[in-house]
Amino acid sequence: MRNVETKNQILKYIVDEYVSNSKPVGSVYLINKYKMNISSATARNIMVILEKENLIEKSHTSSGRIPTPKGYEYYAKYLTINEEDKLASKIKDIFASRRSSIDNIIDEAVSIISEASKLTLVTSENKNDELLKSITLTPISNEIAIIVLITSSGKVDTKELKLSKRLNLDDLKIAIRIFQERLHNVKLVDIPKSIESLKPILKQHIKNYEELIQTFVIGVFQNYKNIANNKIYGKSHLIKSQDIKRQELANIIELIENQSIWESINEKNYLDENLKLEILPSNTSIISKRLLLNGSVKDVSVIGPTRMDYSKAKNLLNIIEKYAKENLKNNVDIEEE
């Protein structure tokens, strides 16, 4: 038992140090800083074990160790401590004020947390009931057209379509007219299936109708399978991070702007019932909390570099959940009096 505790302690110190300083961590440094009652040889042996378990790895630039994605995940699951930090009382006051709806209060709290913690946070409301209200076409050239979609929430979305030589603008105009007539008020998530059902009609008017269907399903409507209404706070913290791979940043931004972050995380990545963690190859980590609030669902996510402070991120999400539920309970009690 003692060995397990010491091993966990060393791993926690390594992650804490690397998150704070972005420098490889050596055994002597840990013993001196944290006044550990073990020899440097014992510390090195434990670090070898952690390395064999793929929780840490040797740095290329020194003899120190740095955490692996598996190490970060283990740290986030088992080694973080849920302590209320200095933001807790401020967040509590926001929720206690009951100045507006619970959704607006959560957004206000998240905005303050992002500014104070220098973390990127996202609130999400699933929009699986979003309907298509309008679809129009603007030709740019014989090979390129812009499709403009208007949804039931008033959102205007533009998509660029590149046409193959087998498709032309006349075919596209016919398809748009049919879609406008037949897909009006259809849920966005159901449109790919609905387009498939239009095959007999499209076949009558368009020679290469199957290629056109694929072009629309993949190029226009594919991303609506996981659509969400996201509000982003502190996006600049993510953009300025030197740890996140620049070539992957556009994909991350697209995810947090348009997709349900909770749904994008694999089901196997639960930390607990309503908390998920994903560590991406882009050196980015996502921790997402699902809030179940009197029948409604709202997700709050923290996005940052892999060496983010997981303890702080989890703590902030737990604070939001705690005071949101207290707010709802207090409001119910007031209504019943």
Side-chain angles (χ1 to χ4, degrees):
M1 184 67 178
R2 174 64 178 170
N3 289 339
V4 173
E5 290 176 357
T6 305
K7 187 172 73 170
N8 284 343
Q9 192 177 48
I10 287 179
L11 177 59
K12 184 179 186 305
Y13 290 158
I14 290 174
V15 176
D16 287 342
E17 286 296 319
Y18 191 69
V19 166
S20 298
N21 305 315
S22 190
K23 294 180 181 179
V25 184
S27 57
V28 175
Y29 175 84
L30 289 182
I31 292 170
N32 291 336
K33 177 169 181 177
Y34 294 97
K35 297 179 172 55
M36 299 180 70
N37 190 26
I38 59 175
S39 67
S40 58
T42 299
R44 285 194 299 272
N45 288 337
I46 292 173
M47 291 170 77
V48 169
I49 294 171
L50 291 170
E51 193 173 344
K52 288 180 178 178
E53 294 177 355
N54 194 30
L55 296 171
I56 61 175
E57 61 186 358
K58 285 184 179 178
S59 166
H60 297 298
T61 57
S62 75
S63 59
R65 265 72 166 185
I66 63 175
T68 64
K70 183 180 177 182
Y72 283 119
E73 186 171 344
Y74 184 91
Y75 174 93
K77 284 183 177 179
Y78 306 114
L79 304 181
T80 51
I81 301 172
N82 295 323
E83 298 176 345
E84 287 194 357
D85 60 17
K86 61 183 180 181
L87 282 175
S89 60
K90 193 170 186 178
I91 300 306
K92 182 178 180 179
D93 290 342
I94 292 172
F95 280 99
S97 66
R98 297 194 293 274
R99 292 190 300 272
S100 58
S101 70
I102 187 65
D103 282 334
N104 290 338
I105 296 173
I106 290 174
D107 288 339
E108 183 181 351
V110 166
S111 177
I112 290 172
I113 288 173
S114 175
E115 183 177 351
S117 65
K118 306 304 179 185
L119 289 170
T120 300
L121 280 85
V122 179
T123 60
S124 302
E125 297 174 46
N126 198 284
K127 295 302 239 180
N128 284 341
D129 291 332
E130 191 92 348
L131 308 178
L132 178 66
K133 286 297 183 179
S134 173
I135 178 169
T136 57
L137 166 73
T138 301
I140 302 299
S141 68
N142 290 332
E143 295 82 26
I144 298 176
I146 299 296
I147 307 298
V148 179
L149 308 172
I150 300 176
T151 69
S152 53
S153 67
K155 180 180 179 181
V156 178
D157 203 359
T158 60
K159 306 282 185 177
E160 180 182 293
L161 277 189
K162 294 182 179 180
L163 305 180
S164 70
K165 293 181 179 179
R166 291 162 53 85
L167 295 175
N168 56 56
L169 286 175
D170 290 335
D171 290 338
L172 208 57
K173 291 175 181 177
I174 293 170
I176 292 292
R177 187 180 71 248
I178 294 172
F179 292 160
Q180 179 64 35
E181 293 172 355
R182 303 281 178 159
L183 300 180
H184 181 72
N185 279 339
V186 172
K187 290 182 180 180
L188 294 176
V189 293
D190 294 335
I191 284 181
K193 187 187 301 182
S194 298
I195 289 179
E196 287 290 325
S197 70
L198 294 177
K199 273 186 178 181
I201 298 174
L202 294 169
K203 185 178 181 179
Q204 294 177 13
H205 302 282
I206 300 170
K207 182 178 179 181
N208 296 308
Y209 69 96
E210 290 185 335
E211 183 175 344
L212 183 137
I213 288 173
Q214 282 297 105
T215 299
F216 268 89
V217 169
I218 295 174
V220 178
F221 294 109
Q222 186 72 25
N223 287 339
Y224 291 121
K225 289 182 178 179
N226 192 19
I227 189 172
N229 181 24
N230 293 350
K231 295 180 181 177
I232 307 170
Y233 302 89
K235 187 196 292 187
S236 62
H237 303 318
L238 194 66
I239 294 172
K240 292 176 182 177
S241 173
Q242 297 301 309
D243 293 337
I244 296 173
K245 294 179 181 177
R246 297 294 95 183
Q247 63 269 29
E248 298 290 339
L249 187 59
N251 293 332
I252 298 167
I253 297 298
E254 198 282 330
L255 167 66
I256 67 175
E257 286 183 342
N258 300 307
Q259 304 301 306
S260 167
I261 297 174
W262 175 268
E263 298 296 342
S264 72
I265 300 176
N266 195 294
E267 291 296 315
K268 68 179 182 180
N269 290 343
Y270 277 98
L271 294 181
D272 60 40
E273 184 180 4
N274 293 314
L275 188 69
K276 287 182 179 180
L277 165 72
E278 177 108 35
I279 297 177
L280 304 173
S282 55
N283 289 339
T284 308
S285 290
I286 300 173
I287 300 180
S288 187
K289 184 86 171 179
R290 171 146 285 184
L291 306 180
L292 306 176
L293 307 170
N294 286 5
S296 66
V297 177
K298 193 177 185 79
D299 302 327
V300 181
S301 305
V302 179
I303 301 94
T306 306
R307 65 182 191 93
M308 78 160 73
D309 188 331
Y310 292 92
S311 180
K312 177 185 284 187
K314 285 175 61 180
N315 184 40
L316 295 175
L317 294 176
N318 287 330
I319 288 172
I320 293 171
E321 180 181 45
K322 175 183 177 181
Y323 293 126
K325 288 185 174 180
E326 284 186 6
N327 175 277
L328 290 173
K329 182 178 183 300
N330 292 338
N331 281 340
V332 170
D333 291 342
I334 290 172
E335 291 171 1
E336 291 177 349
E337 291 177 357

